[in-house]
Amino acid sequence: MTQPIQDPNRDPVSYSIQLAKINKHFGAVKANVDVDLNVVKGEIHAIVGENGAGKSTLMSILYGFYEADSGSIYVDGKVVSITDSKRAIELGIGMVHQHFMLVDNFTVLENIVLGAEGSWSLTHSLAKARKKLQEISDRYGLNVDLDAVVSHLPVGLQQRVEILKALYRDAKILILDEPTGVLTPQEVDQLFAILKTLKSQGVSILLITHKLQEVIAISDQVSVMRAGAMVATVNTAETTREALAELMVGRKVLLRVDKQEANSGAALLKVDSLTWHDDANVPRLEDVSFTVSAGEIVGVAGVSGNGQTELLGLLSGMLDVQQGQINIEGVCIDAQHQMTPKQIRHLGVGHVAEDRHRDGMVGAFSAEETAIMGFQDEPEFNGSILQNRSAITEHCQELMSTFDVRPVDPNLKSASFSGGNQQKLCIAREMNATPKVLLVGQPTRGVDIGAIEFIHQQIVALRDQGSAVLVVSVELEEILSLCDRVLVMSEGRIVGNVLASETDARSLGLMMSSSRSGDQMAQQGGQS
């Protein structure tokens, strides 16, 4: 039994969780290496680190998804064995996953009771649960309609249901994995108010996040992981975002985009009254109009699912235009004049897909094959009969060198690269052609903080060469730092058009959550 490292001034029972010399290997990959962690009762403890640093593996061990190869886990000062999530729940450990584990067509009450009915009579179980949940809601300020169907709830309330599920099972230790990824700033404020209430009632909270400003705002302590090891644990009040970023990466990182004021020119992309309905005739875009000019970066902000994906699909040719027009440097695309993605690419449009795994690459392809996807018919990559493999390999090596893709191995399968290097390879492919218009969906999703800095620099460099760039991102900090102008989408409509320098995350959040009846208050910038 491995003994935990702890503060000699603290009684061991003052810790809700202690991890001692936790090791976990997956083949040759060392996911966790001698990890020590102490979580004080009634505190919010953040864990940060780059992708692959070992955070998720460590939390999966604590919640029983994995078993450690070696090391010990202590709960309330006593050594325990956590072989599965059922055992974790018995020990008072609950987890709110990044992607909610809810049944959409069940009510809130049915979702919470599912798997914990406790009686052969469902009617009796639901009545008993309703009473207990009312007490929990009153105690922690987690009000939600227990009879509402989950699919009808906004994401902020769905997350609240997940927290209620854990508390209903008597969780005293709550793990939250990237809890603010789909929330507006106002919903983040509501979540943080709930977390503070939970903390005041003695609940210990482990917060896994990549948003350092939120770590500073809400946590009491923060632990930093790098390459599977725990490299530091500090009091949050005694550190900064910059210091945490340096601990995560191992070097200084510029957290804000360094760019000059935009020098915009003629409009290269014009969208006029674009409306699109899905196969069920549900409107996903309604009367969308905007422009993007040469030499500017326009960001599209909004909670996921508000029409951004459909907008990128239409602009890239992946979806057919139903109503309205798209004009790319004088070429009109509408219901009578459709264009394929290949034809749109030949107009000088680059497209970095929102979901690189689904639309931007094929995991089984080599890096050099991914590097020419969409360009495979270009003469430089083809001989009279067969592809020119040496030219393709040389092209990929040049891209990898220029865009810092590691390792520089054109023959390595695309799936074998880290998320950040996959993204850099996709961005390199699109930017290398110096497109007149670049469409970028979620440019830094799943990307390490060091790679984020590099990707932002490349996008700004393309802008400064005179390209028009449209960026879709759910990260408001990224939108405000990277973009010159911001469009806000809500329920498939543009409800705001503002200069990035004249707004902030809170104002954008209000627009993002605005109803259609309130659209006029958000139309601050008009159509530029």
Side-chain angles (χ1 to χ4, degrees), residues 237-482:
E238 298 172 1
T239 191
T240 63
R241 290 196 308 155
E242 291 75 13
L244 291 175
E246 186 172 349
L247 284 169
M248 288 166 60
V249 180
R251 63 174 176 81
K252 290 188 179 296
V253 178
L254 185 64
L255 294 178
R256 188 156 186 90
V257 179
D258 184 16
K259 63 180 172 48
Q260 302 296 317
E261 187 174 341
N263 183 20
S264 59
L268 299 183
L269 173 65
K270 297 180 182 178
V271 174
D272 185 26
S273 302
L274 208 56
T275 297
W276 193 84
H277 292 67
D278 65 15
D279 291 339
N281 204 34
V282 175
R284 297 300 181 184
L285 290 177
E286 292 195 72
D287 198 29
V288 170
S289 299
F290 63 88
T291 64
V292 186
S293 298
E296 78 166 339
I297 303 171
V298 174
V300 179
V303 174
S304 291
N306 277 269
Q308 306 97 311
T309 297
E310 291 77 10
L311 177 62
L312 284 177
L314 289 163
L315 295 177
S316 64
M318 295 172 66
L319 296 176
D320 285 340
V321 176
Q322 296 172 349
Q323 298 177 49
Q325 291 185 346
I326 300 169
N327 191 294
I328 301 171
E329 205 175 18
V331 177
C332 177
I333 304 167
D334 59 22
Q336 288 72 45
H337 306 88
Q338 305 283 3
M339 281 195 171
T340 66
K342 182 176 180 179
Q343 290 171 321
I344 289 179
R345 185 180 292 280
H346 285 160
L347 293 178
V349 178
H351 177 214
V352 179
E354 276 190 297
D355 187 338
R356 60 179 171 269
H357 296 119
R358 186 187 67 192
D359 301 319
M361 54 175 271
V362 177
F365 279 11
S366 65
E368 64 182 24
E369 290 170 326
T370 291
I372 64 166
M373 282 179 60
F375 298 90
Q376 65 271 12
D377 294 334
E378 296 297 318
E380 64 182 295
F381 303 129
N382 292 279
S384 56
I385 299 176
L386 301 175
Q387 285 186 319
N388 186 338
R389 302 307 299 184
S390 62
I392 293 172
T393 300
E394 183 179 350
H395 171 74
C396 184
Q397 287 175 328
E398 289 177 0
L399 290 186
M400 289 177 137
S401 177
T402 302
F403 284 80
D404 193 32
V405 179
R406 305 175 195 174
V408 182
D409 184 354
N411 294 311
L412 187 65
K413 287 188 182 298
S414 299
S416 298
F417 290 87
S418 69
N421 284 298
Q422 290 173 353
Q423 186 75 349
K424 284 192 283 187
L425 185 59
C426 291
I427 287 177
R429 178 186 66 216
E430 302 302 319
M431 284 191 172
N432 183 67
T434 316
K436 297 175 183 176
V437 176
L438 179 65
L439 312 172
V440 189
Q442 312 302 339
T444 57
R445 174 177 280 168
V447 173
D448 297 335
I449 195 165
I452 288 173
E453 178 188 32
F454 180 85
I455 288 169
H456 286 169
Q457 289 170 345
Q458 298 306 309
I459 291 174
V460 171
L462 189 69
R463 176 204 74 166
D464 292 344
Q465 292 177 46
S467 296
V469 183
L470 183 74
V471 172
V472 171
S473 177
V474 295
E475 302 288 353
L476 294 189
E477 186 178 17
E478 176 171 62
I479 287 283
L480 289 168
S481 179
L482 177 62

Side-chain angles (χ1 to χ4, degrees), residues 77-312:
K78 298 177 181 178
V79 68
V80 299
S81 174
I82 303 179
T83 54
D84 53 32
S85 57
K86 181 180 178 181
R87 178 58 178 152
I89 292 168
E90 290 172 353
L91 291 167
I93 302 171
M95 188 167 184
V96 177
H97 301 270
Q98 183 176 4
H99 302 290
F100 304 149
M101 305 292 187
L102 300 172
V103 181
D104 283 348
N105 58 348
F106 278 19
T107 66
V108 170
L109 182 60
E110 290 165 344
N111 266 283
I112 292 172
V113 171
L114 186 64
E117 292 83 356
S119 169
W120 63 269
S121 170
L122 184 59
T123 301
H124 180 264
S125 295
L126 291 174
K128 185 178 179 181
R130 187 182 295 274
K131 181 180 179 181
K132 181 176 179 179
L133 285 166
Q134 191 59 58
E135 294 172 355
I136 294 171
S137 297
D138 293 343
R139 181 177 180 183
Y140 297 112
L142 283 162
N143 297 318
V144 61
D145 181 1
L146 296 178
D147 297 311
V149 176
V150 160
S151 62
H152 298 165
L153 297 177
V155 289
L157 288 182
Q158 289 185 24
Q159 186 179 65
R160 196 173 292 187
V161 175
E162 287 281 25
I163 295 173
L164 275 170
K165 269 176 59 179
L167 296 177
Y168 178 73
R169 288 158 174 77
D170 301 318
K172 295 298 181 185
I173 300 155
L174 195 58
I175 305 168
L176 294 109
D177 184 13
E178 298 289 354
T180 65
V182 294
L183 304 184
T184 67
Q186 286 71 25
E187 289 171 328
V188 172
D189 288 344
Q190 293 168 5
L191 172 64
F192 283 4
I194 290 167
L195 296 186
K196 288 176 180 177
T197 301
L198 291 170
K199 169 185 163 180
S200 71
Q201 297 285 337
V203 176
S204 302
I205 297 165
L206 273 161
L207 181 66
I208 314 304
T209 182
H210 68 280
K211 298 182 178 181
L212 297 182
Q213 74 276 15
E214 294 178 359
V215 169
I216 298 296
I218 191 65
S219 68
D220 299 295
Q221 291 196 79
V222 53
S223 293
V224 183
M225 296 189 71
R226 188 168 73 235
M230 191 70 72
V231 296
T233 294
V234 297
N235 292 324
T236 308
E238 298 172 1
T239 191
T240 63
R241 290 196 308 155
E242 291 75 13
L244 291 175
E246 186 172 349
L247 284 169
M248 288 166 60
V249 180
R251 63 174 176 81
K252 290 188 179 296
V253 178
L254 185 64
L255 294 178
R256 188 156 186 90
V257 179
D258 184 16
K259 63 180 172 48
Q260 302 296 317
E261 187 174 341
N263 183 20
S264 59
L268 299 183
L269 173 65
K270 297 180 182 178
V271 174
D272 185 26
S273 302
L274 208 56
T275 297
W276 193 84
H277 292 67
D278 65 15
D279 291 339
N281 204 34
V282 175
R284 297 300 181 184
L285 290 177
E286 292 195 72
D287 198 29
V288 170
S289 299
F290 63 88
T291 64
V292 186
S293 298
E296 78 166 339
I297 303 171
V298 174
V300 179
V303 174
S304 291
N306 277 269
Q308 306 97 311
T309 297
E310 291 77 10
L311 177 62
L312 284 177

Side-chain angles (χ1 to χ4, degrees), residues 491-510:
E491 297 180 353
R493 295 160 63 94
I494 301 292
V495 297
N497 185 345
V498 295
L499 293 175
S501 60
E502 296 178 359
T503 191
D504 55 27
R506 196 156 302 279
S507 298
L508 294 180
L510 287 171

